[in-house]
Amino acid sequence: MPLENFGSVLNFAEELETQDQEFYEAVAANPACRDHKQLFEQFAANAKKNVKTAQRTRRENVTEMILEPIKDFVRAPYCEVCQAAPSMTVEDALASAIRLEDRAVRYYTDAAAKIKALPEVARALKLLGKKHNGHREKLAVL
């Protein structure tokens, strides 16, 4: 499905963050992941904040959203579902978390490049990508 405008890019960002939040909440509740429970709970809380950031960015820039079409940007490369999070081993949970963080960094980097005509929105997307890169770095040392 193509991401053809400002609204669809931010709606998809909300979807990604909601998926991440649900994943991190599930693995935080998974007994096999109890050693990393606090980290996963923090990532879930960050995802919830990121949803609010995407929503606020859309609200604050609603007048510009109609003006800027986006070309050659689709959802498919960023769609990844992590099922069975409540029953994953800690190794699988960490590997899935790394994949999700990599996906988010790619999405926000690519989206910011596509929306560069709207500098405030591009800046917000880059910031979200930077946050996910920080998560990725924390996961890499585990």
Side-chain angles (χ1 to χ4, degrees):
M1 183 173 185
L3 299 167
E4 300 174 325
N5 58 42
F6 165 89
S8 65
V9 169
L10 289 173
N11 282 340
F12 190 58
E14 282 184 58
E15 285 179 42
L16 292 180
E17 294 296 342
T18 300
Q19 287 174 359
D20 288 356
Q21 180 183 353
E22 291 168 358
F23 170 78
Y24 286 125
E25 287 172 349
V27 294
N30 181 339
C33 301
R34 68 181 165 273
D35 290 344
H36 305 296
K37 180 178 179 161
Q38 186 176 8
L39 180 68
F40 291 143
E41 287 174 341
Q42 182 60 52
F43 287 0
N46 290 348
K48 188 174 184 177
K49 290 177 190 175
N50 292 345
V51 168
K52 291 179 182 180
T53 299
Q55 291 170 341
R56 186 181 65 249
T57 301
R58 183 177 45 242
R59 277 193 315 272
E60 291 174 354
N61 294 281
V62 72
T63 55
E64 290 88 356
M65 71 184 238
I66 299 167
L67 304 174
E68 287 299 324
I70 297 170
K71 297 188 185 317
D72 303 321
F73 196 42
V74 294
R75 302 164 63 115
Y78 312 101
C79 291
E80 181 173 332
V81 178
C82 291
Q83 297 182 358
S87 60
M88 285 182 167
T89 65
V90 68
E91 293 82 11
D92 289 342
L94 290 170
S96 293
I98 288 170
R99 281 195 317 276
L100 291 176
E101 296 303 332
D102 285 342
R103 170 196 68 177
V105 170
R106 277 186 298 111
Y107 177 72
Y108 289 122
T109 302
D110 295 347
K114 291 288 183 180
I115 295 185
K116 63 183 170 194
L118 300 171
E120 290 179 34
V121 178
R123 194 171 21 259
L125 293 170
K126 286 178 187 175
L127 177 63
L128 290 171
K130 195 175 192 178
K131 289 180 182 181
H132 281 280
N133 197 42
H135 288 181
R136 174 67 176 85
E137 289 172 2
K138 286 181 182 178
L139 290 166
V141 297
L142 297 179

